[in-house]
């Protein structure tokens, strides 16, 4: 190939040019690899124009440099894109890109488009003249080619024309090569991701999933270290969970918290990053690196997503061969997204297994017998205690039906288990029939549960033998109290009445002692009467003598009974009652005792000097009566329970009592066709209200 020199004859020159272009087009069409293509273009230009050095920058569709090369003499300098970026922004190439036309620089010192000191320090070798041309295809700019020479005014218009002609030819080749390159890289990315996908989702075990992710990342990107961090679901802290490389694939039993550095930044910003040199990037934190046991130089980090949320990061550290680039980040981000799904699924599976295991151990070790049945009532599982209590072995039980073990409550069976189907728990008392024919009193709690995604029924059969014994004991005690106390007490009352008539009326000390004895005896009498009523009402007997009664009169009588106790505590009773109220039908003794009980409690559970309000009013066809205090109050969870027999709140220094008063009140009021309830707040006070139906005249 002859060098085209200025000054040859026109014919010769044209022929040479044509030969050259023909040669160039053959050279270019024989290669598809982008780098080979643009290096050849640069060489050909330099040879044919006589330039001593030159550069070429290949641009993508958005004008960003994709690749470049600088040639000085016969030396090719690669990895020059960053170096050339400056001239693209502010120098001669930039001007060419913007103007899209040739630039001829006669003297670099006098041309403002020239950015001095680009390649050489040797003054002799510094470029004094330059020519720069755009590489265009159908108006698309695909690159810039620049040639330089250490002599001013070296490039002639012929040179320019020649370079222009080469550039016109080269444009399409560069574009083809670039597109080919892109498609090759895309294919590579897709292949890497496809391979990774199959490697990551092979297991549901979290440790295996971590291992798969680390391995696939290493295989796809070829790095010295791969690290995986996750945001803890409960604490929200970012933690290092697995590393492949220096730590030999170790996964962390006690995860290391990450509070700074690259992964932290990536989670915060939800953005993948390439850090070619960690020392030049302030997102890098060397202390975090040390704690991880890693010495990083270059880092690639991508967020791991699950359902659009960042759940961690995948980090590739220190490449073994090729520097990190946009493609590596693309592959890493793809793997990270696959990883997100695999990790969450493994975590959910672990949680499910843990829940299953903990139910299993709760089930087996429960101190109550538990049976699991299907909705047909066939026993499918029984725990240790169920085997022990029923005397059947597990295999026997599994072939039985639940009703062979105990009698199912008729209400439960009547509504076809509808209560259970709506998610409610049902409880009732029954008897467990053991294999040896024994019957054990039990309280049954039934509810629906999901086991292995199948809806089943769980039956807890709690042994209440001890409770039943206690109940019987209490009942015996109560009947003993009222049978054995009632007649002697009646004797005491009549004797005290007699004494009252016999004692001299002018002895106040004697009178006061007698008053105390009479009041205490009355109280004991009231209690025994209440116990008697309680037993009658509990046995389901109806109240005998009911009369038209004025509730107001009963209220005044009850207050009078309580007056001295209230007075002794410095408390004040106020009334909130109307002048008149319609009558109710009532057993007067009983209703009076109800009001007295409520007043007694108000006095007992309220501090010295507090106020007690007794009130009554009509509401529709009901009379409402209430007793309100500013005492200790009752927590909402106990508002129902305190009306049960023997239920007392477990508070410190609580006044003494049996826990029968409110049970009595409820039985009496319900037997009268009314209701009783409490409104109360702890530390504020309580208001007990009952209603009784008005007599229809
Ligand atoms: P006793 O007073 O004998 O314990 P009761 O059946 O009358 O039994 O009351 C049951 C429980 O309800 C009491 O132990 C007490 O804890 C609580 N209670 C009843 N009345 C009041 C009240 N006015 N203020 C606070 N707590 C009360």
């Amino acid at each position: 190939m002859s060098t085209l020199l200025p000054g040859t004859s026109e014919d010769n020159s044209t022929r040479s040019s044509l030969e050259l272009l023909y040669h160039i087009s053959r050279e270019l069409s024989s290669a598809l690899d982008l780098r080979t293509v643009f290096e050849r273009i640069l060489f050909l230009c330099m040879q044919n124009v006589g330039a001593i050095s030159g550069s070429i920058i290949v641009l993508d569709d958005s004008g960003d440099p994709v690749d470049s090369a600088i040639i000085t003499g016969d030396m090719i300098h690669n990895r020059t894109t960053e170096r050339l970026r400056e001239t693209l922004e502010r120098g001669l190439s930039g001007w060419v890109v913007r103007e899209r036309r040739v630039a001829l620089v006669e003297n670099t010192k006098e041309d403002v488009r020239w950015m001095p000191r680009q390649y050489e320090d040797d003054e002799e070798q510094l470029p004094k003249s330059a020519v720069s041309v755009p590489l265009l295809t159908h108006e698309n700019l695909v690159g810039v080619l620049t040639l330089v020479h250490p002599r001013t005014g070296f490039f002639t218009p012929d040179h320019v024309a020649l370079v222009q002609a080469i550039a016109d030819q080269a444009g399409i080749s560069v574009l083809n090569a670039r597109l080919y390159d892109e498609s090759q890289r895309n294919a590579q990315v897709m292949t890497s991701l496809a391979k990774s996908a199959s490697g990551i989702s092979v297991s549901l075990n979290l440790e295996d999933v971590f291992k798969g992710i680390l391995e696939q990342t290493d295989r796809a990107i070829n790095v010295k270290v791969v690290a995986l961090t996750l945001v803890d679901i409960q604490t929200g802290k970012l933690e290092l969970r697995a590393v492949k490389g220096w730590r030999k694939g170790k996964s962390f039993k006690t995860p290391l918290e990450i509070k700074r550095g690259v992964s932290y930044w990536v989670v915060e910003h939800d953005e993948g990053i390439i850090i070619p040199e960690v020392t030049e990037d302030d997102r890098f934190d060397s202390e975090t690196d040390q704690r991880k046991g890693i010495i990083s130089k270059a880092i690639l980090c991508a967020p791991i997503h699950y359902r659009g949320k960042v759940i961690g990061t995948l980090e590739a550290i220190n490449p073994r061969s090729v520097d990190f680039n946009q493609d590596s980040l693309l592959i890493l981000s793809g793997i990270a997204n696959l990883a997100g799904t695999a990790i969450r699924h493994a975590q959910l599976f672990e949680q499910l297994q843990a829940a299953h295991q903990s139910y299993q151990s709760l089930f087996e070790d429960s101190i109550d017998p538990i049976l699991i049945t299907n909705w047909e009532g066939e026993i499918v599982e029984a725990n240790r205690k169920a085997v022990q209590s029923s005397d059947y072995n597990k295999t026997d039980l599994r072939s039985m039906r639940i009703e062979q073990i105990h009698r199912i409550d008729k209400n439960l069976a009547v509504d076809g288990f509808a209560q259970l189907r709506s998610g409610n728990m049902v409880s009732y008392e029954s008897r467990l029939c053991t294999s040896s024919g024994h019957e054990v009193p039990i309280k049954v709690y039934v509810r629906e549960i999901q086991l292995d995604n199948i809806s089943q029924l769980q039956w807890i059969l709690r042994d209440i033998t001890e409770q039943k014994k206690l109940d019987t004991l209490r009942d015996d005690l109560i009947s003993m109290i009222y049978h054995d106390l009632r007649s002697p007490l009646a004797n005491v009352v009549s004797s005290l009445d007699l004494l009252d008539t016999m004692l001299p009326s002018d002895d106040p000390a004697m009178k006061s002692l007698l008053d105390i004895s009479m009041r205490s005896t009355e109280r004991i009498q009231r209690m025994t009467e209440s116990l008697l009523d309680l037993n009658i009402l509990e046995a389901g007997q109806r109240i005998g003598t009911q009369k038209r009664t004025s509730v107001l009169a009963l209220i005044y009588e009850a207050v009078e009974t309580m007056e001295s106790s209230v007075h002794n505590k410095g408390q004040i009773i106020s009334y909130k009652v109307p002048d008149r109220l319609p009558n109710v039908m009532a057993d007067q003794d009983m209703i009076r005792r109800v009001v007295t009980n409520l007043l007694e409690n108000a006095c007992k559970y309220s501090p010295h000097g507090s106020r007690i309000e007794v009130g009554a009013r009509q509401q529709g066809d009901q009379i409402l009566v209430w007793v309100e205090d500013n005492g200790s109050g009752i927590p909402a969870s106990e508002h129902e329970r305190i009306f049960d027999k023997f239920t007392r709140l477990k508070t410190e220094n609580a006044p003494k009592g049996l826990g029968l008063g409110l049970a009595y009140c409820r039985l009496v009021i319900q037997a009268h066709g009314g209701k009783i309830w409490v409104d109360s707040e702890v530390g504020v006070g309580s208001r007990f209200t009952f209603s009784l139906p008005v007599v229809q005249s």
Side-chain angles (χ1 to χ4, degrees):
M1 168 74 47
S2 62
T3 309
L4 189 91
L5 289 172
T8 50
S9 78
E10 204 170 299
D11 275 0
N12 274 350
S13 147
T14 315
R15 190 177 311 116
S16 304
S17 299
L18 282 172
E19 270 175 20
L20 175 65
L21 288 176
Y22 172 71
H23 183 71
I24 285 176
S25 80
R26 267 195 24 202
E27 278 272 309
L28 293 182
S29 58
S30 64
L32 249 185
D33 164 62
L34 179 64
R35 189 148 272 279
T36 319
V37 167
F38 68 64
E39 280 172 7
R40 275 187 192 174
I41 296 170
L42 198 52
F43 260 123
L44 285 168
C45 282
M46 283 169 63
Q47 271 174 12
N48 289 294
V49 176
I52 53 119
S53 61
S55 70
I56 189 161
I57 307 172
V58 179
L59 303 170
D60 65 14
D61 289 340
S62 48
D64 281 333
V66 215
D67 208 345
S68 68
I70 297 175
I71 299 182
T72 28
D74 46 13
M75 282 269 295
I76 302 174
H77 309 272
N78 290 322
R79 301 191 187 170
T80 48
T81 314
E82 280 310 306
R83 207 164 121 190
L84 289 170
R85 200 182 276 275
E86 252 198 310
T87 126
L88 203 56
E89 278 162 14
R90 291 181 284 129
L92 188 61
S93 319
W95 186 89
V96 173
V97 168
R98 284 191 300 278
E99 298 291 323
R100 297 196 168 208
R101 59 193 168 98
V102 183
L104 177 64
V105 176
E106 299 273 1
N107 184 350
T108 53
K109 286 200 173 137
E110 289 170 6
D111 200 311
V112 288
R113 294 172 298 186
W114 186 257
M115 266 179 52
R117 291 195 174 274
Q118 269 186 311
Y119 321 124
E120 303 285 343
D121 285 341
D122 179 1
E123 177 63 27
E124 286 289 296
Q125 290 301 313
L126 277 181
K128 306 282 183 336
S129 55
V131 58
S132 189
V133 288
L135 304 179
L136 290 159
T137 58
H138 313 294
E139 298 304 304
N140 286 331
L141 188 72
V142 293
V144 190
L145 183 142
T146 308
L147 301 175
V148 296
H149 198 277
R151 214 176 68 212
T152 47
F154 173 78
F155 297 103
T156 63
D158 282 345
H159 284 142
V160 175
L162 181 64
V163 176
Q164 176 92 66
I166 299 175
D168 289 347
Q169 285 260 319
I172 189 76
S173 306
V174 169
L175 181 65
N176 280 343
R178 202 195 77 199
L179 292 176
Y180 175 73
D181 217 47
E182 275 170 17
S183 70
Q184 283 289 89
R185 286 198 334 249
N186 281 344
Q188 244 171 25
V189 170
M190 296 313 287
T191 320
S192 299
L193 286 181
K195 279 187 191 157
S196 308
S198 57
I200 286 173
S201 44
V202 286
S203 167
L204 266 178
N205 173 294
L206 196 57
E207 295 299 312
D208 289 346
V209 169
F210 285 161
K211 218 168 131 204
I213 296 166
L214 299 181
E215 235 149 53
Q216 294 308 323
T217 310
D218 186 15
R219 233 175 251 177
I221 307 183
N222 194 13
V223 280
K224 291 196 177 141
V225 180
V226 188
L228 187 140
T229 68
L230 283 185
V231 179
D232 186 89
I233 302 172
Q234 256 114 49
T235 62
K237 289 178 184 165
L238 183 66
E239 294 166 343
L240 182 67
R241 297 299 300 268
V243 172
K244 180 178 192 298
W246 273 298
R247 289 224 178 188
K248 299 231 162 30
K250 176 177 171 183
S251 74
F252 297 81
K253 288 280 176 269
T254 17
L256 185 78
E257 190 184 343
I258 309 285
K259 295 178 183 159
R260 277 182 296 278
V262 179
S263 322
Y264 196 82
W265 189 94
V266 167
V267 170
E268 290 263 284
H269 294 80
D270 188 6
E271 190 184 318
I273 46 172
I274 306 171
I275 300 186
E277 176 53 61
V278 292
T279 50
E280 288 168 12
D281 200 305
D282 45 11
R283 290 172 294 195
F284 174 73
D285 178 60
S286 57
E287 198 196 310
T288 306
D289 226 31
Q290 273 168 19
R291 286 174 58 226
K292 285 189 203 165
I294 294 170
I295 304 159
S296 308
K297 291 194 178 64
I299 299 180
L300 192 65
C301 187
I304 300 178
H305 288 119
Y306 181 72
R307 295 206 171 156
K309 270 178 74 182
V310 186
I311 63 160
T313 66
L314 188 59
E315 233 176 326
I317 302 164
N318 301 351
R320 283 186 204 276
S321 47
V322 195
D323 285 353
F324 291 144
N325 54 30
Q326 286 301 330
D327 284 346
S328 350
L329 185 58
L330 203 64
I331 296 175
L332 190 74
S333 305
I335 298 178
N337 282 334
L338 293 169
T341 318
I343 290 171
R344 265 296 182 268
H345 286 177
Q347 281 177 330
L348 287 174
F349 184 68
E350 269 193 358
Q351 277 171 9
L352 208 71
Q353 273 190 323
H356 199 279
Q357 242 169 22
S358 75
Y359 177 79
Q360 200 60 33
S361 55
L362 281 176
F363 174 76
E364 264 310 324
D365 302 340
S366 164
I367 53 165
D368 289 320
I370 308 177
L371 296 166
I372 308 290
T373 71
N374 56 23
W375 283 87
E376 279 70 53
E378 291 160 352
I379 299 174
V380 291
E381 199 48 88
N383 72 347
R384 238 190 313 267
K385 190 72 184 179
V387 170
Q388 216 177 55
S389 311
S390 67
D391 255 355
Y392 289 105
N393 65 36
K394 236 179 206 183
T395 329
D396 286 345
L397 281 173
R398 283 199 191 125
S399 64
M400 293 170 75
R401 302 179 59 84
I402 189 74
E403 61 267 30
Q404 291 174 269
I405 294 290
H406 83 295
R407 195 181 313 115
I408 297 179
D409 187 65
K410 54 180 185 305
N411 294 331
L412 181 67
V414 161
D415 68 3
F417 296 159
Q419 286 251 52
L420 297 174
R421 284 188 200 276
S422 50
N424 293 332
M425 187 170 80
V426 175
S427 64
Y428 55 88
E429 287 190 9
S430 178
R431 294 187 155 266
L432 173 73
C433 317
T434 70
S435 81
S436 49
H438 274 93
E439 287 206 347
V440 182
I442 48 169
K443 178 128 190 189
V444 184
Y445 299 88
V446 204
R447 69 180 180 93
E448 183 194 4
I449 54 163
Q450 297 290 332
L451 270 187
D452 298 329
N453 269 342
I454 304 171
S455 160
Q456 306 202 308
L457 293 177
Q458 173 190 270
W459 307 74
I460 298 179
L461 315 176
R462 181 163 297 163
D463 184 341
I464 50 168
T465 313
E466 287 308 310
Q467 191 186 319
K468 284 282 164 203
K469 271 190 200 156
L470 267 178
D471 282 354
T472 323
L473 202 73
R474 277 195 190 124
D475 290 347
D476 292 350
L477 202 72
I478 289 167
S479 59
M480 187 273 285
I481 291 172
Y482 74 75
H483 281 303
D484 299 355
L485 284 188
R486 254 181 118 206
S487 41
L489 207 60
N491 290 341
V492 175
V493 172
S494 48
S495 307
L496 284 175
D497 281 346
L498 203 64
L499 259 179
D500 193 23
T501 54
M502 288 161 64
L503 280 175
S505 55
D506 53 356
D507 188 341
M510 202 70 91
K511 182 89 181 124
S512 145
L513 276 176
L514 192 66
D515 270 357
I516 293 174
S517 317
M518 285 172 86
R519 270 203 313 275
S520 301
T521 322
E522 268 168 23
R523 220 175 135 226
I524 302 174
Q525 218 175 9
R526 245 192 354 260
M527 277 169 68
T528 50
E529 292 304 323
S530 297
L531 283 174
L532 184 62
D533 288 347
L534 206 73
N535 260 34
I536 292 172
L537 293 171
E538 267 190 334
Q541 283 186 33
R542 291 173 62 86
I543 325 163
T545 47
Q546 290 196 50
K547 289 191 196 139
R548 281 177 164 270
T549 306
S550 151
V551 176
L552 289 177
L554 294 182
I555 290 177
Y556 294 133
E557 284 162 23
V559 171
E560 202 185 325
T561 320
M562 285 301 299
E563 219 149 35
S564 59
S565 310
V566 170
H567 179 76
N568 288 345
K569 270 191 96 173
Q571 292 162 328
I572 297 164
I573 295 186
S574 61
Y575 291 99
K576 199 170 188 178
V577 289
D579 293 338
R580 288 166 57 84
L581 272 178
N583 285 336
V584 295
M585 285 302 278
D587 176 318
Q588 296 181 347
D589 281 344
M590 282 184 174
I591 299 295
R592 192 184 309 109
R593 274 203 295 274
V594 168
V595 182
T596 314
N597 267 337
L598 297 181
L599 279 169
E600 214 169 18
N601 281 350
C603 169
K604 232 176 16 177
Y605 300 106
S606 307
H608 232 262
S610 58
R611 285 187 163 274
I612 297 169
E613 179 187 286
V614 190
R617 70 183 168 88
Q618 183 176 3
Q619 183 178 285
D621 57 357
Q622 303 283 318
I623 301 290
L624 298 187
V625 180
W626 67 88
V627 175
E628 187 178 304
D629 62 52
N630 314 120
S632 52
I634 301 156
S637 57
E638 305 294 322
H639 286 184
E640 282 288 327
R641 243 169 48 83
I642 48 166
F643 291 96
D644 291 343
K645 257 202 317 185
F646 305 113
T647 305
R648 311 198 65 229
L649 298 187
K650 291 191 181 70
T651 42
E652 261 178 53
N653 306 325
K656 293 211 166 28
L658 281 175
L660 284 174
L662 291 179
Y664 170 79
C665 294
R666 185 170 63 182
L667 273 172
V668 169
I669 296 299
Q670 283 176 350
H672 279 81
K675 280 189 191 144
I676 181 164
W677 67 94
V678 63
D679 299 294
S680 177
E681 202 179 316
V682 176
V684 178
S686 313
R687 173 196 273 230
F688 283 86
T689 312
F690 66 81
S691 64
L692 289 174
V694 171
V695 183
Q696 305 297 335
S697 47

